[in-house]
Amino acid sequence: AGGWMRAAEASADDLEIPETIRLTIEQQVARLGSRERRLLDAASVSPANCAAAVIAAAAGMTVVEVEALLTPLARRGAFLREREPIEWPDGTVSASYDFVHSLYREVLYARIFAAQRAEFHHQVGVRLESAFGARAPQIAGELAVHFERARELPRAIRYLLHVAETDAGRSAHESAQRHYRHALALIENLPPCAERDRNEAASRIGLAGVLTQLRGWGAIEVEHEYARAQELCERHGAHDLSFLASWNLWVGSIARGQISDAHDRSRAVFDLACCSASPSVRLQGHHALWTTAFARGEFQQVPVHVAAGIALYQPEELHLQSYGSHDPCVCARAFQARAAALCGQPATAARAIEAALALARRIGHPFTLSFSLMHASAVWLEIGNAQTALVCAAEAARIAEEQDFSL
């Protein structure tokens, strides 16, 4: 009916390369010279569009030698195709190739002994890392694969976290979650040390930020990740990550309606924030207090902390995934509006919530926008504009459904 569907489950045996095809390819490879075979083996560990400079690094040859041996093969259509030359940030320019069929890559890769395969991945990873320098995070996914297969786990974890953070920043929640969990699985294989624990804490905090958007601030799995991260941070004196975990444990308690506990936590968070030289950290201290004041019905305190927080707002220093997965200035205006509405100040409430929505739309962060729309619907109801409340609620619901925001 105009689309494809799977007729039946495929077994592992069904997906293996048929023996006749594997033997045919191995016979073709056997007819080549030893240097050509080595280069094809090296090419099989590389990405689909493989630079001669990468193959040279893996095989221990010069780029000129690689091009002299592989270009004739490619022009005959044997194993490889020639692609456009590739230029790297360090100025290296070389020919590039890909396999005429993925089966060639799979057969060649499978025939490499494990130690040689790991060495190839190491050489490729190191060469790419050197070529891209400060821009290595741009190819973090590729580097993570090479260093994991070279069994250089700390390097692989570092690049996996880059990939996860990038995915989280563009609201690719499932992909980000998968990469954070992959990093945590690799971390399990490392011996205990401060760096290992800091990486685990960073991975758990990142994962918890994604889960916050998917499950809500008060979800038990979110609390578990932050609590474990805080334990690791306190063990090694990682105060920056410890504060972040403490702040998010506070927001979890308020989301679960544990107002007394949230009050105590908010004061502790504020005291810690006051000791920081960072304006963005001090802002988060006020963030905890204006939210808690509203939850406790202390509406006169809300604008005090909102004003103090907004004065510290520096959007270029904020990481939206870190503190409740939403923009604090949008949050400040939203709570200012909620408090004003409940204090019988409809004009102030309308101005504040319109400012919150305008900023949320400029930022373009889906969770922040749905958060602001949810508060806007409450504000418009409280000041007697049910039709606008309905419009805001409907838009919030649409975004939440599209993005899988359970909250």
Side-chain angles (χ1 to χ4, degrees):
W4 291 91
M5 62 180 291
R6 185 174 58 204
E9 291 294 332
S11 69
D13 289 341
D14 295 329
L15 298 175
E16 287 182 357
I17 299 171
E19 184 69 9
T20 52
I21 292 177
R22 186 182 62 78
L23 289 172
T24 299
I25 292 173
E26 288 187 346
Q27 287 168 2
Q28 292 173 351
V29 173
R31 297 190 193 108
L32 300 172
S34 60
R35 300 212 313 158
E36 291 169 317
R37 288 199 299 272
R38 180 172 176 79
L39 291 180
L40 288 177
D41 287 346
S44 74
V45 308
S46 304
N49 194 12
C50 180
V54 160
I55 301 171
M61 298 184 190
T62 68
V63 175
V64 172
E65 289 175 311
V66 171
E67 291 179 347
L69 287 166
L70 293 188
T71 299
L73 278 181
R75 289 177 180 172
R76 296 200 309 268
F79 300 98
L80 301 170
R81 286 182 291 242
E82 195 172 6
R83 294 300 190 191
E84 290 296 315
I86 287 178
E87 182 173 1
W88 287 339
D90 69 350
T92 300
V93 179
S94 69
S96 70
Y97 312 93
D98 65 8
F99 283 93
V100 295
H101 197 288
S102 61
L103 287 175
Y104 283 119
R105 178 189 301 281
E106 292 179 43
V107 170
L108 286 160
Y109 189 76
R111 66 195 287 275
I112 308 171
F113 292 121
Q116 179 67 75
R117 190 183 298 169
E119 180 60 22
F120 277 159
H121 280 293
H122 167 77
Q123 295 295 346
V124 170
V126 168
R127 183 66 185 95
L128 287 171
E129 198 175 49
S130 169
F132 279 77
R135 292 163 61 182
Q138 294 177 1
I139 56 164
E142 188 178 335
L143 288 170
V145 169
H146 287 303
F147 287 125
E148 180 180 356
R149 293 183 180 179
R151 302 309 295 163
E152 295 181 50
L153 298 188
R155 265 170 150 167
I157 290 161
R158 185 168 77 248
Y159 287 114
L160 272 173
L161 290 180
H162 276 300
V163 178
E165 287 161 11
T166 300
D167 286 343
R170 61 188 179 88
S171 299
H173 309 299
E174 293 303 327
S175 180
Q177 186 178 172
R178 186 170 63 253
H179 285 113
Y180 279 125
R181 293 193 188 281
H182 189 176
L184 285 166
L186 295 187
I187 287 167
E188 288 294 316
N189 297 303
L190 296 178
C193 69
E195 183 184 4
R196 176 224 174 272
D197 286 357
R198 185 177 177 87
N199 278 332
E200 182 182 346
S203 300
R204 292 193 181 281
I205 286 170
L207 175 60
V210 174
L211 292 174
T212 291
Q213 296 180 67
L214 296 175
R215 308 283 180 264
W217 299 288
I220 295 302
E221 56 197 310
V222 172
E223 181 185 30
H224 168 78
E225 297 298 342
Y226 282 124
R228 172 61 178 161
Q230 186 179 48
E231 175 192 335
L232 292 165
C233 294
E234 290 177 350
R235 183 185 302 171
H236 297 288
H239 300 300
D240 54 339
L241 293 179
S242 180
F243 175 80
L244 208 164
S246 297
W247 191 97
N248 282 286
L249 287 168
W250 156 75
V251 83
S253 64
I254 207 162
R256 289 188 294 275
Q258 299 161 349
I259 306 303
S260 178
D261 182 43
H263 176 64
D264 294 341
R265 286 180 181 271
S266 70
R267 298 307 310 183
V269 163
F270 182 74
D271 291 343
L272 286 172
C274 288
C275 298
S276 174
S278 166
S280 61
V281 170
R282 296 202 304 277
L283 161 58
Q284 297 301 340
H286 289 288
H287 189 170
L289 291 189
W290 76 59
T291 309
T292 306
F294 180 84
R296 286 165 56 86
E298 298 167 350
F299 301 133
Q300 301 304 324
Q301 290 298 310
V302 173
V304 174
H305 292 293
V306 163
I310 289 175
L312 296 165
Y313 182 65
Q314 296 177 311
E316 67 278 1
E317 291 189 8
L318 296 172
H319 300 282
L320 291 178
Q321 301 304 121
S322 300
Y323 294 97
S325 295
H326 63 278
D327 180 84
C329 190
V330 171
C331 181
R333 295 298 189 199
F335 276 95
Q336 180 186 16
R338 295 289 300 273
L342 292 170
C343 288
Q345 301 164 0
T348 300
R351 283 195 302 273
I353 201 59
E354 285 168 357
L357 284 170
L359 178 56
R361 293 191 193 282
R362 283 202 304 277
I363 292 169
H365 182 240
F367 191 77
T368 295
L369 181 55
S370 57
F371 168 90
S372 64
L373 287 161
M374 179 264 295
H375 280 294
S377 65
V379 170
W380 292 120
L381 273 181
E382 286 156 5
I383 63 177
N385 189 335
Q387 187 56 42
T388 306
L390 184 61
V391 170
C392 289
E395 186 180 357
R398 178 182 59 76
I399 295 169
E401 186 172 358
E402 288 173 356
Q403 299 287 331
D404 196 25
F405 296 152
S406 299
L407 181 70

